[in-house]
Amino acid sequence: MSSPVSETVTVVVGTIGKAHGLKGEVSLLVRTDIPEERLVRGAEFDVEGAEGGPARLTLTSTRVQQGRWYAKFAEVQGRTAAEGLRGADLTLELDREEEFEEDPDAWYPEELKGLEVRTDDGRVLGTVIGLDHYPAQDLLIVRASDARKVMLPFVEELVPEVDLENGVVLADPPGGLFDPENALSERDGTEG
């Protein structure tokens, strides 16, 4: 009997921001709940979204100043090289089973797509089509039942539960967010 092949999942650990200083240091928008474990000296990341930049980066140092993360990579020398990486995502391949054992309630952004969004009283609001990252908070992008795209702040008060097993995201949106006349949502011209 052969052992099952372990499933891997690609996770975005951070997004590179502006160059900081002249020696290649960059600001880093952290996208992991455990930066102290993921962002360690010697960690190697695949790079997605960097035009003509390196495909992999090796972390040499990090620091936190006034709540902001800064990072330096072995492959990045100087401000020009650092600016060329702005907006690129740092990704890691992780063993899904191992991660689940450490945190049974863990989920990854790609697992959210297609989940039904409903209120705790069972009213269906729509289907998750994506997750957008912003400095203040992430936004869950939901295709509402009337085909609009609604941006739901992905915070515990408004999205108290993600139930992967049952394919449901429970939401308690602010009044009017899913109403058709709400200006914060938009039609994007695609079929629902």
Side-chain angles (χ1 to χ4, degrees):
M1 184 188 310
S2 63
S3 62
V5 176
S6 187
E7 179 183 340
T8 61
V9 62
T10 301
V11 296
V12 177
V13 174
T15 301
I16 296 175
K18 293 189 233 178
H20 188 77
L22 301 174
K23 298 184 179 181
E25 186 177 51
V26 295
S27 63
L28 195 61
L29 182 57
V30 175
R31 303 228 185 271
T32 176
D33 292 341
I34 48 175
E36 307 79 23
E37 292 179 28
R38 304 268 195 244
L39 299 171
V40 295
R41 183 184 178 111
E44 293 183 354
F45 301 97
D46 290 322
V47 181
E48 295 181 6
E51 295 286 324
R56 277 184 84 68
L57 291 174
T58 306
L59 189 62
T60 57
S61 67
T62 60
R63 65 185 178 90
V64 180
Q65 182 178 343
Q66 296 179 341
R68 294 186 179 154
W69 281 76
Y70 296 92
K72 179 81 175 87
F73 300 95
E75 299 81 359
V76 182
Q77 305 302 317
R79 185 175 185 88
T80 303
E83 278 296 335
L85 292 171
R86 190 172 184 175
D89 288 329
L90 302 174
T91 65
L92 285 176
E93 288 286 322
L94 301 174
D95 182 301
R96 179 68 175 109
E97 189 174 311
E98 188 176 301
E99 293 294 308
F100 184 75
E101 284 175 14
E102 288 181 24
D103 184 0
D105 295 326
W107 48 263
Y108 297 99
E110 65 269 12
E111 294 176 310
L112 298 175
K113 288 183 182 175
L115 296 183
E116 184 176 75
V117 180
R118 61 171 104 130
T119 61
D120 61 355
D121 64 1
R123 184 170 57 106
V124 175
L125 300 173
T127 303
V128 176
I129 58 173
L131 180 68
D132 284 349
H133 303 288
Y134 291 94
Q137 66 195 14
D138 292 338
L139 294 175
L140 197 60
I141 310 304
V142 179
R143 170 77 59 221
S145 50
D146 64 0
R148 288 176 304 120
K149 245 179 23 178
V150 177
M151 297 174 281
L152 175 64
F154 199 24
V155 295
E156 190 171 356
E157 297 80 29
L158 303 180
V159 183
E161 184 178 347
V162 173
D163 184 350
L164 293 178
E165 190 172 309
N166 292 310
V168 173
V169 172
L170 287 181
D172 184 14
L177 184 62
F178 280 84
D179 292 347
E181 61 276 356
N182 188 309
L184 293 176
S185 55
E186 60 186 52
R187 285 191 192 275
D188 65 359
T190 60
E191 296 297 316

